[in-house]
């Protein structure tokens, strides 16, 4: 199962990297999975692989030659478009589908995660109710809770006098 | 307009000036021993006390850049290795690679001297 997932992730690497080092990368994964046993080690292995994937993708698909883009500044001022050249080979249909699927999962799970964290209550010691009761007991002055509090009636009275 | 002849059809290779940390660690791992990819990864993890665990992308793109610069070379697997190991690619540090590793170490030593003279270090450093 984990090998299948790694094979799918490997599809996201640039084609030339896969061609030259795909087998060795798979062998490296096998070796690490064999030697690093246990839940924590497995988690660390996958975190390492994901971090490596992100940095490798950023490096692998970055512009090949920034020079043409820099050199075209004059041309850009004259209205000609500037081009950045990424990897010339297309990632292919499977990596694109996989990338799209991963993006969808992340986007779809965001509202759920936000709900999850939004519904969490703060610890009891820090809740507003506990703070209010503490203020009542200590006799500290309280702010008016609403617009119909004593402050507003006082203001009305002053307005009537004027 | 963009000149088509300027487009390189290869993958962007890792720049070695300045020498990236991963490439320097790989050169150090290959001092005195020929290793395959996983061996290099383990050696780097050991020499950095687990702080640097090279993933396949970083490891093999660094290896590729070092091969292209002639700092390491592919060699046959040692004869005493198992048949599974024979299929692996082994890498050997060239004299140019050793020279670059030494100059990088000297550069870092100079840096350390400056840091020590500024009294910003805590603990004992060689």
């Amino acid at each position: 199962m984990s090998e299948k997932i790694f094979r799918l992730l490997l599809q996201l690497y640039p084609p030339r990297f896969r061609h030259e080092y795909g087998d060795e990368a798979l062998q490296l994964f096998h070796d690490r999975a064999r030697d690093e046993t246990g839940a924590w080690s497995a988690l660390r292995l996958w975190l390492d692989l994901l971090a490596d994937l992100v940095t490798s993708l950023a490096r692998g698909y970055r512009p090949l030659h920034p020079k043409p883009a820099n050199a075209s500044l004059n041309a850009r001022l004259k209205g000609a478009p500037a081009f950045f050249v990424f990897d010339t080979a297309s990632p292919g249909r499977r990596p694109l589908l996989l990338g799209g699927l991963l993006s969808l999962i992340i986007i779809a799970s965001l509202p759920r995660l936000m709900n999850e964290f939004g519904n969490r209550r703060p610890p009891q010691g820090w809740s507003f109710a506990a703070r209010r009761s503490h203020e009542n007991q200590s006799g500290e002055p309280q702010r008016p809770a609403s617009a119909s509090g004593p402050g507003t009636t006082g203001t009305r009275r002053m307005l009537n006098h004027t | 307009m963009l000149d088509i002849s300027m487009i390189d059809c290869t993958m962007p290779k890792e720049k070695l000036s300045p020498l990236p940390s991963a490439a320097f660690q790989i050169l150090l791992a290959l001092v005195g021993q020929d290793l395959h990819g996983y061996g290099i990864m383990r050696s780097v993890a050991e020499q950095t006390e687990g702080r640097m665990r090279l993933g396949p992308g970083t490891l093999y793109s660094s290896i590729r850049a070092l091969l292209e610069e002639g700092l390491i070379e592919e060699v046959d697997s040692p004869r005493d290795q198992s048949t599974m190991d024979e299929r692996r690619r082994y890498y050997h540090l060239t004299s140019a690679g050793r020279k670059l590793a030494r100059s990088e170490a000297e550069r870092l030593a100079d840096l350390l001297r400056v840091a020590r003279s500024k009294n910003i270090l805590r603990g004992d450093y060689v």
Side-chain angles (χ1 to χ4, degrees), chain B residues 52-63:
Chain B
M52 185 185 277
R53 287 185 305 275
L54 299 173
T58 310
L59 176 67
Y60 289 111
S61 59
S62 302
I63 284 177

Side-chain angles (χ1 to χ4, degrees), chain A residues 48-117:
Chain A
D48 284 350
L49 288 174
L50 287 175
D52 180 69
L53 177 70
V54 170
T55 51
S56 300
L57 287 186
R59 197 171 42 228
Y61 290 107
R62 75 181 169 202
L64 285 174
H65 287 284
K67 272 184 185 173
N70 294 338
S72 66
L73 183 62
N74 285 332
R76 216 184 306 168
L77 289 173
K78 288 174 189 168
F83 297 101
F84 287 92
V85 183
F86 289 86
D87 195 351
T88 48
S90 164
R93 197 179 292 172
R94 278 184 68 186
L96 284 177
L97 280 174
L98 180 66
L101 189 67
L102 278 173
S103 310
L104 272 178
I105 290 170
I106 291 166
I107 291 167
S109 59
L110 270 178
R112 200 187 183 111
L113 281 173
M114 287 168 76
N115 274 341
E116 182 71 28
F117 286 109

